[in-house]
Each structure stands twice: as C-alpha cells, then as structure tokens.
C-alpha cells in the first residue's frame, strides 16, 4: 500500500495543528515551517524514540549537544568552505535560478515544460555554497565571519578527544546528537521534505580500521529496523546502495534508506527519495581536524591544537578511527511517519473518515478523556480527574467536551490518538434520564458499571468497559513507553 501523497498531508497538518507555514500573516518565507501544538509533540516523540534506541538502549553510545556557531576553521578543514556547494544555473528568459542537476525534474515558472527544455537560455553552471554566512561581534569584517552549521557532525569530531578522555571510552563507540542545521538550498520545497532550516539526528560511530565494513552493515540493519518498529510499512522503505561515482571523495561506502515520499509520480523510481544515509566515512574526519600534515587527504592542519589519533589502552596501537555515520532528518522522519500512518475508512454514516494510525509511542496525544455530556457537572468533574491522574503518571492525556461524542471520536482519530476514554452515566451508577424527566427519576445503571469507563480503540473502533481503578495499567500495557 502506497503512502498518502504530500498534498493530503499538508492539508491535514494545517487543519489539525501539526505544521503551519512560517510567518504566514506576512506572506511567509519560502520553505520555512512552524510546528504547531500536535506537530511539536509528534516531532519530539520521534526524536525521543531515536534517542532511546541509539543512546539509552545501547552501551556503546554517548550523547552530546554542540553549538550551532563554530569557529570558521572547522569548516575550512572539514572541506565545507571550499566544496559544500550545488551547481547553479540562471535562466536568461524567466530569470529563475535552478539546480543544474535537477533541471529535468523542475518545472519552468513561465512555460508548461521542464527547465531542461530551456537549455538554450540557461547559463553555464557555477558553484553555489550552501552555508549561511553570519558574523560574530559588532563589526563586519573578515575576521568576524562565521557560518550557521550545515550539519551537526563536525561538533562531534572536534569533541572526540574530550569525550574519550572524560567518559573513559574505548573503540568501538559512538556519539549521538540531535540539533538544528542550515543549508541555503537553491530549490527547497515539497513541504518539510527539503527546507533551509532542519533538524538532524546523527551518530558518528568510531571503529578500528578493518572492522568498518561489519559495523557499516550493522548500522544499516539497525536503522532500517527502527523505522519498521515504529510503523513504517516495509513496502514503503528500501535500501539504495550508492555507486562509486555517487560517493563523497572520502567515503568507502554509503547506503541510503529511501522512503516512498512521492507515491503520486507515475515513474515508480521517482517515487523514492532519501530518508536516512548510513555512510562509511573512513578516517577522513578525525584526520583533517588533527594537527599536522596528513598526506592521505592532502591536508596540512596548522591551526588545530590537538592530535586526534586514538591510542588503544591495551595494545598501545595508534590510529585514526574509521567513522560510520547514520544520519537522519527529524523533519523527514516525522513526515514519513505521518504519510505512512494516514488512512481512511467509512464512518458510521458511510462517509470516509481519516484515521491517523501512528505508533502509540509517536502519537502526540495518547489518551483523550471525554464526558458524555458537558452539562452534567458530575461527568465533567470525573472526566477531568481521570485526565489529571493519567497525566500525573506520565500518560499524555487531554480533556475535551467541545462537541458531541461522535465528533470527538472522529477528531481524535484524525490526529492519531490511540485511545478515547468516555465517562458516561453508567460511570456514576445511574442511567441516563429521558428527555423532560427529572434527574431523580433516572434508572440505576446495570450492576458492575459503577466507576467504570468506556475505552475506545482508534484502529478497530472497538469499545470495552474498564474499571477506573485499573485504567492506568490497562492503557500503559497497550501504549508502551518511548
């Protein structure tokens, strides 16, 4: 089953408070997005699930959080200042600017054709550096030049020795980081798939040369299985092995995990694009940031103050560790989980109803507590008390009485809430009064329903009665934890 196309997800996200265009009341700013109340919860849950899998559930990964602004020399020796660029062409006729390697995919803004058809009017490609420039301090001068980081990896590499020394780490081990990165993309677009500001979830795993191929295979398997574990369907996820001509000059191998982001495209091959890359970066990174001359990479680092050579504490062997890098985008992962969770099924009235089948660990709201009637104070008080108790014990819950119960169920289905808890008259031990009858004339509820609630499952729409005293355990067993 193909995922929903991005257009459907864009509509859902704005309608239900997941993601909004940034600065919208001023006309927006191209390809910038704000995460709303539900979007920030979903994205945080994705990041939390990733962090749990790679840091908490393993004994060989440390975490860190590096600065966005770094010394300009970091980007000089990493190679970004000289080579981190895309080929840019201008159209002399429509004045548009495009990536030279994407002209067969991009639409001309003036004519109904691809940009490649305008080849006679395109300038020669030229390198366009993707790093955003800024300045540090009050004076605009070359010495104050700095960049917003285009990736989070470099702060890990320059802190390698700090973490080895402070955490007594031995090879093999890794360092994980989640953080913002910035790239001045020539052609951003497709919602949150490609933006100029985004968030990365990266691991740099350091290993001994000669063991790198095994560790690379290990991380490909680990990362592929993580997406499946949290709900991505196997038919929408594949592995793409980069060919030698596609690899970065320092890389020995790279496998991309690709997701079916564009199911609406007729050419199936064009339906796929990168979700995460797992690269074998060899010993390039620690070498180029280490002081001294490194003939292998044709670098002489005269500014670094440290050697980043690793010395084995048992054998005294010295070497630059190889690096395996699983690099994922938190925004792309969030988009993929949204697309894969989207489904429709006929409602009680026969009309299609959206059901967002998010994994419970990722769902922004775990439980919605709903009173059957908002004008019955005892129902409202009981529902609010249940919501507060669940929240107090770590289950993200909300209270809602703003519509009839059927509409409330539909609303929660559409935002992916796994369970709805309904507090009704049987919860109070009384039956519902008939219209116009006095409350004291209400019949007693059936035996055994006092202090119970109805729990409704999002995916099956099945309902069961559960004692309030056992509700927390009932939900916790089914929700799990991140």
């Amino acid at each position: 089953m193909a995922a929903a196309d991005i257009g459907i997800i864009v509509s859902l996200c704005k309608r239900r408070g997941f993601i909004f265009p940034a600065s919208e009341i001023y006309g927006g700013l191209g390809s910038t997005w704000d995460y709303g109340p539900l979007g920030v919860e979903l994205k945080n849950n994705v990041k939390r699930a990733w962090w749990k899998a790679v840091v908490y559930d393993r004994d060989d990964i440390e975490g860190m959080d590096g600065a966005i602004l770094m010394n300009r020399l970091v980007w000089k020796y990493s190679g970004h200042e000289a080579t981190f660029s895309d080929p840019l062409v201008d159209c002399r006729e429509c004045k548009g600017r495009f990536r030279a390697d994407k002209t067969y995919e991009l639409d001309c803004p003036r004519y109904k054709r691809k940009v490649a058809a305008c080849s006679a009017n395109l300038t020669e490609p030229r390198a366009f550096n993707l790093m955003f420039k800024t300045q540090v301090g009050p004076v605009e001068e070359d010495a104050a030049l700095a960049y917003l980081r285009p990736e989070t990896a470099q702060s890990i590499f320059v802190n390698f020795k700090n973490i080895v020394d402070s955490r007594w780490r031995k090879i093999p081990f890794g360092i994980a980081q989640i953080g913002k990165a910035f790239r001045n993309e020539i052609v951003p677009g497709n919602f949150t798939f490609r933006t100029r500001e985004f968030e990365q979830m990266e691991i740099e795993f350091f290993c001994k040369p000669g063991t790198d191929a095994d560790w690379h295979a290990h991380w490909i398997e680990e990362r592929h299985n993580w997406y499946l574990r949290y709900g991505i369907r196997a038919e929408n996820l594949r592995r793409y092995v980069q060919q030698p001509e596609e690899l970065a000059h320092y890389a020995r191998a790279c496998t991309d995990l690709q997701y079916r982001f564009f199911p609406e495209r007729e050419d199936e091959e064009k339906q796929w694009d990168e979700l995460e890359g797992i690269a074998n970066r060899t010993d390039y990174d620690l070498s180029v940031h280490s002081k001294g001359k490194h003939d292998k990479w044709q670098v002489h680092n005269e500014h670094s103050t440290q050697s980043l050579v690793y010395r084995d504490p048992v054998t005294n062997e010295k070497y630059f560790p190889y690096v395996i890098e699983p690099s994922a985008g938190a925004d792309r992962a969030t988009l993929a989980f949204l697309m894969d969770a989207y489904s429709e099924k006929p409602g009680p009235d026969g009309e299609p109803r959206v059901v967002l089948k998010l994994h419970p660990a990722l769902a922004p709201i775990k439980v919605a507590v709903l009173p059957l009637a908002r004008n019955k104070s005892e129902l409202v008080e009981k529902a609010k008390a249940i919501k507060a108790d669940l929240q107090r014990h770590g289950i993200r819950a909300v209270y809602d009485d703003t519509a009839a119960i059927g509409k409330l169920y539909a609303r929660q289905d559409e935002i992916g809430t796994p369970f709805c808890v309904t507090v009704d008259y049987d919860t109070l031990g009384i039956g519902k009064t008939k219209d116009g009858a006095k409350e004291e004339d209400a019949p007693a509820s059936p035996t055994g329903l006092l202090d119970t609630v109805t729990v409704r499952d999002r995916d099956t729409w099945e309902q069961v009665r559960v004692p309030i005293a056992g509700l927390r355990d009932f939900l916790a067993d089914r929700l799990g934890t991140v």
Side-chain angles (χ1 to χ4, degrees), residues 11-12 45 110 162 178 208 242 293 322 326 402 438:
S11 176
L12 171 67
N45 287 343
R110 178 172 292 186
N162 287 334
I178 300 174
K208 187 175 181 179
Q242 290 191 15
K293 190 175 182 181
Y322 271 41
T402 58
K438 295 181 180 180

Side-chain angles (χ1 to χ4, degrees), residues 398-456:
V398 296
Y399 168 89
D400 194 359
D401 63 5
T402 58
I405 196 69
K407 288 186 177 180
L408 293 179
Y409 284 157
R411 182 183 300 170
Q412 296 301 325
D413 286 344
E414 193 171 24
I415 64 175
T417 304
F419 295 103
C420 288
V421 172
T422 303
V423 178
D424 56 23
Y425 289 92
D426 287 331
T427 307
L428 305 179
I430 59 174
K432 184 179 179 181
T433 58
K434 296 181 179 180
D435 292 340
K438 295 181 180 180
E439 193 168 297
E440 55 266 26
D441 296 330
S445 65
T447 304
L449 296 185
L450 177 66
D451 289 328
T452 67
V453 290
T454 298
V455 179
R456 175 186 179 273

Side-chain angles (χ1 to χ4, degrees), residues 293-338:
K293 190 175 182 181
H294 311 288
D295 293 334
K296 178 179 178 180
W297 301 111
Q298 299 179 349
V299 171
H300 182 196
N301 193 327
E302 57 185 352
H303 293 97
S304 177
T305 61
Q306 289 187 339
S307 169
L308 300 182
V309 168
Y310 175 77
R311 183 179 66 83
D312 189 295
V314 176
T315 66
N316 284 324
E317 181 183 3
K318 294 182 179 180
Y319 56 87
F320 285 114
Y322 271 41
V323 176
I324 308 301
E325 180 192 68
S327 178
D331 303 275
R332 284 194 187 183
T334 300
L335 177 59
F337 285 121
L338 272 170

